[in-house]
């Protein structure tokens, strides 16, 4: 029996739960009494091994006092679980590196259901783990506490970071909902998106059939020539992953300023300066720092290339387009299902923010963006749907897209095809 299956079996057996709970509480109380809180909060590798050994002894003693002998495998598994609760992230440690390295997203439902999404997939799968509400709250407290955040009825939605660690250097992004707004209210609902633990390599996307090698070569040329690029797609289509892969093509020595909310793109360069937005701290006078603020700061840092995490608001779009139309090269992601949808959504967002007229916004878009890359999902696989030049002149008062690559919607799942229907404009500076 594996540790994972043993954990799941214990969680659904009510008799085992009662005994397990009593032993766990006794051991946790004893460890808390023996070790100072600061040591338990951030133990060294040596201290962790020492505490793990002590927990193993205390578990065995607790069962002996109850004249119970569940066996060394059960006792070892329970000792490891207690150690995770005391020193780590409880049930999450069974799903995070180094135990699992194939997961991109974890979802805990308020009903108690737990699901994962594997890397490269677009759907969730159930996991036979059943953490109780108490453990879920403990894990949240351990993550949120150091960030001075609290999930409660007054603050029922919390956005937080999963800190990077030695085994999970990419960290992650957490969204948590309080039971009062997440029926049936059995426990908090959590979504945890894990970021890549290392730079995304372009060949990974080619191998997974997201695009062809020829298309990637065009994107390489676009990045190296400093084009201004917008990567668009729907939820979970892989916009950030694609942009991360494209960042490998930025020339060595370029000063890159990266603005995100939160930081998730990992570029393996020394010449990268990151800027991370933050929300207003609840109950304090600490002001929010937005993506738009980051773009304005970045323009004073003399970057060769700007990278902006998903521009969600009119304010962020206005700052981004202002940078792009004043000579800055860069790339960003945006939530839109098609090139035309991109323009319509930009008009809506910027119009609400600045009251600018649609015609004005269309001219700004055409001036600011050189290349539009659309990514979507076909047959439950991520595919680049199109790569298009953005014409600098409007046609009939609208942004005009000049296709370079188009996905063949009739191509089978196993052998996706793309058709070249145009060429990448290389000398965009002379045309703008």
């Amino acid at each position: 029996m594996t540790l994972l299956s043993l954990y799941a079996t214990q969680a659904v057996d009510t008799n085992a739960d009662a005994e397990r709970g009593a032993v766990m509480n006794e051991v946790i109380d004893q460890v808390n009494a023996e070790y100072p809180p600061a040591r338990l909060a951030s133990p060294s590798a040596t201290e962790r091994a020492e505490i793990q050994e002590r927990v193993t002894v205390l578990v065995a003693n607790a069962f002996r006092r109850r004249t119970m002998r569940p066996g060394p495998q059960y006792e070892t598994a329970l000792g490891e679980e207690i150690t995770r609760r005391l020193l780590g992230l409880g049930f999450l440690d069974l799903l995070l590196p180094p135990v699992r390295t194939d997961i991109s997203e974890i979802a805990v439902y308020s009903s108690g259901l737990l699901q994962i999404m594997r890397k490269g997939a677009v759907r969730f799968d159930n996991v036979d783990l059943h953490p109780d509400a108490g453990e879920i709250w403990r894990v949240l407290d351990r993550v949120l506490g150091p960030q001075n955040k609290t999930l409660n009825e007054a603050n029922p939605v919390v956005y937080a970071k999963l800190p990077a660690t030695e085994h999970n250097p990419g960290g992650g992004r957490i969204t948590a909902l309080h039971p009062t707004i997440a029926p049936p209210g059995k426990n908090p609902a959590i979504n945890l998106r894990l970021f890549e633990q290392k730079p995304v390599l372009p060949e990974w996307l080619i191998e997974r059939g997201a695009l062809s090698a020829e298309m990637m070569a065009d994107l390489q040329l676009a990045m190296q020539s400093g084009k201004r690029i917008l990567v668009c797609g729907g939820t979970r289509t892989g916009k950030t992953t694609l942009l991360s892969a494209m960042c490998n093509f930025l020339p060595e020595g370029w000063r890159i300023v990266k603005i995100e909310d939160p930081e998730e793109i990992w570029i393996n360069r020394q010449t990268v300066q990151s800027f991370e937005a933050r929300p207003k701290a609840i109950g304090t006078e600490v002001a929010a720092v937005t993506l738009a603020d980051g773009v304005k700061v970045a323009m004073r840092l003399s970057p060769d290339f700007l990278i902006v995490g998903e521009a969600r608001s009119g304010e962020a779009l206005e700052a981004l387009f202002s940078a792009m139309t004043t000579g800055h090269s860069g790339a960003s992601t945006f939530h839109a299902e098609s090139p035309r949808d991109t323009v319509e959504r930009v008009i809506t967002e910027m119009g609400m923010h600045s009251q600018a007229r649609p015609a004005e916004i269309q001219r700004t878009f055409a001036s600011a963006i050189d290349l539009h890359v659309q990514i979507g999902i076909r047959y439950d696989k991520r595919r680049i749907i199109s790569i298009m030049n953005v014409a600098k002149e409007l046609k009939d008062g609208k942004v005009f897209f000049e296709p370079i690559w188009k996905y063949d919607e009739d191509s089978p799942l196993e052998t996706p095809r793309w058709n070249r229907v145009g060429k990448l404009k290389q000398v965009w500076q002379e045309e703008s």
Side-chain angles (χ1 to χ4, degrees):
M1 181 178 286
T2 66
L3 177 61
L4 186 62
S5 62
L6 183 60
Y7 182 101
T9 300
Q10 294 164 2
V12 297
D13 186 326
T14 54
N15 292 329
D17 260 354
E19 295 297 344
R20 185 170 67 96
V23 170
M24 288 182 70
N25 289 335
E26 178 183 320
V27 173
I28 288 172
D29 288 344
Q30 184 64 36
V31 172
N32 283 330
E34 292 182 10
Y35 295 90
R39 192 173 178 187
L40 294 176
S42 55
S44 65
T46 302
E47 290 171 334
R48 186 182 179 93
E50 174 194 324
I51 295 169
Q52 168 79 66
E53 186 176 347
R54 179 59 178 155
V55 167
T56 301
V57 172
L58 292 174
V59 167
N61 291 342
F63 278 120
R64 301 303 175 270
R65 279 194 296 274
R66 291 169 172 77
T67 65
M68 297 174 63
R69 293 185 179 276
Q73 186 180 17
Y74 187 100
E75 292 179 7
T76 298
L78 185 58
E80 290 175 350
E81 182 182 342
I82 291 171
T83 303
R84 284 194 300 274
R85 293 193 180 197
L86 284 165
L87 308 180
L89 296 178
F91 70 94
L92 284 182
D93 280 349
L94 294 171
L95 304 173
L96 297 173
V99 178
R100 295 283 297 266
T101 58
D102 62 327
I103 295 174
S104 65
E105 205 157 340
I106 300 168
V108 181
Y109 290 72
S110 59
S111 63
L113 175 67
L114 198 152
Q115 292 188 315
I116 62 168
M117 183 183 295
R118 291 178 173 82
K119 291 180 179 178
V122 297
R123 308 289 178 203
F124 283 95
D125 297 317
N126 290 359
V127 175
D128 196 12
L129 284 177
H130 307 276
D132 59 33
E135 180 172 3
I136 295 171
W137 277 113
R138 281 191 292 271
V139 170
L140 272 178
D141 288 342
R142 183 172 284 272
V143 173
L144 299 180
Q147 299 177 55
N148 294 317
K149 296 183 177 182
T150 303
L151 184 70
N152 52 40
E153 289 192 48
N155 189 35
V157 180
V158 169
Y159 305 104
K161 295 178 66 176
L162 181 70
T165 65
E166 176 187 356
H167 297 295
N168 182 35
R173 178 178 72 205
I174 293 175
T175 302
L177 309 180
H178 192 271
T180 56
I181 64 166
K186 180 178 178 181
N187 50 247
I190 303 171
N191 182 270
L192 169 56
R193 179 172 292 186
L194 298 174
F195 301 145
E196 286 292 343
Q197 301 173 52
K198 50 190 174 184
V200 178
L201 299 179
E203 49 265 36
W204 293 355
L205 299 186
I206 296 172
E207 290 167 4
R208 294 172 185 172
L211 74 171
S212 67
E214 292 80 7
M215 295 165 72
M216 188 63 85
D218 273 355
L219 294 179
Q220 177 176 359
L221 182 58
M223 294 293 281
Q224 290 175 339
S225 60
K227 278 187 177 289
R228 302 165 296 187
I229 304 170
L230 201 57
V231 177
C232 300
T235 302
R236 295 204 308 266
T237 51
K239 301 183 293 294
T240 301
T241 301
L242 175 60
L243 180 54
S244 298
M246 290 164 58
C247 287
N248 287 275
F249 299 133
L250 291 171
E252 291 288 342
W254 273 21
R255 177 167 164 77
I256 303 162
V257 179
K258 183 163 60 76
I259 307 110
E260 296 183 89
D261 178 21
E263 183 182 18
E264 56 180 302
I265 295 176
W266 187 350
I267 304 175
N268 190 24
R269 300 281 176 83
Q270 290 185 331
T271 56
V272 176
Q273 178 57 60
S274 297
F275 182 104
E276 188 173 50
R278 70 178 185 199
K280 176 178 172 57
I282 302 297
T284 73
E285 297 301 316
V286 178
V289 179
T290 67
L291 280 178
D293 294 329
V295 175
K296 292 170 186 174
V297 170
M299 291 172 68
R300 297 176 178 271
L301 299 181
S302 302
D304 292 303
F305 201 87
L306 288 175
I307 296 170
V308 180
E310 187 169 351
R312 301 182 183 93
S313 68
E315 181 189 23
L317 286 166
E318 185 177 59
L320 174 64
F321 286 179
S322 176
M324 299 299 198
T325 54
T326 53
H328 290 85
S329 297
S332 181
T333 64
F334 186 68
H335 189 110
E337 302 290 346
S338 69
R340 186 50 54 194
D341 182 43
T342 299
V343 176
E344 294 299 327
R345 293 199 69 236
V346 167
I347 290 172
T348 299
E349 294 293 340
M350 290 184 65
M352 288 191 298
H353 170 68
S354 65
Q355 308 303 313
R357 291 175 298 177
E360 245 177 88
I361 297 172
Q362 298 229 38
R363 283 193 293 271
T364 300
F365 185 102
S367 177
I369 303 300
D370 302 306
L371 198 67
H372 182 283
V373 181
Q374 184 70 47
I375 186 168
I377 294 175
R378 298 293 188 270
Y379 304 108
D380 283 347
K381 297 290 184 181
R382 295 178 175 92
R383 306 285 194 227
I384 304 300
I385 305 304
S386 65
I387 300 176
M388 299 189 178
N389 293 307
V390 178
K392 295 300 133 186
E393 297 294 330
L394 302 182
K395 289 199 176 181
D396 298 324
K398 295 183 178 181
V399 174
F400 184 71
F401 295 95
E402 301 169 340
I404 304 170
W405 289 96
K406 282 189 173 182
Y407 173 67
D408 184 347
E409 298 286 356
D410 294 324
S411 60
L413 169 64
E414 298 79 11
T415 55
R417 294 190 301 267
W418 292 267
N419 299 317
R420 179 186 280 281
V421 291
K423 291 185 178 181
L424 180 73
K425 288 186 177 178
Q426 298 185 31
V427 194
W428 61 269
Q429 294 93 336
E430 295 179 3
E431 300 172 353
S432 57

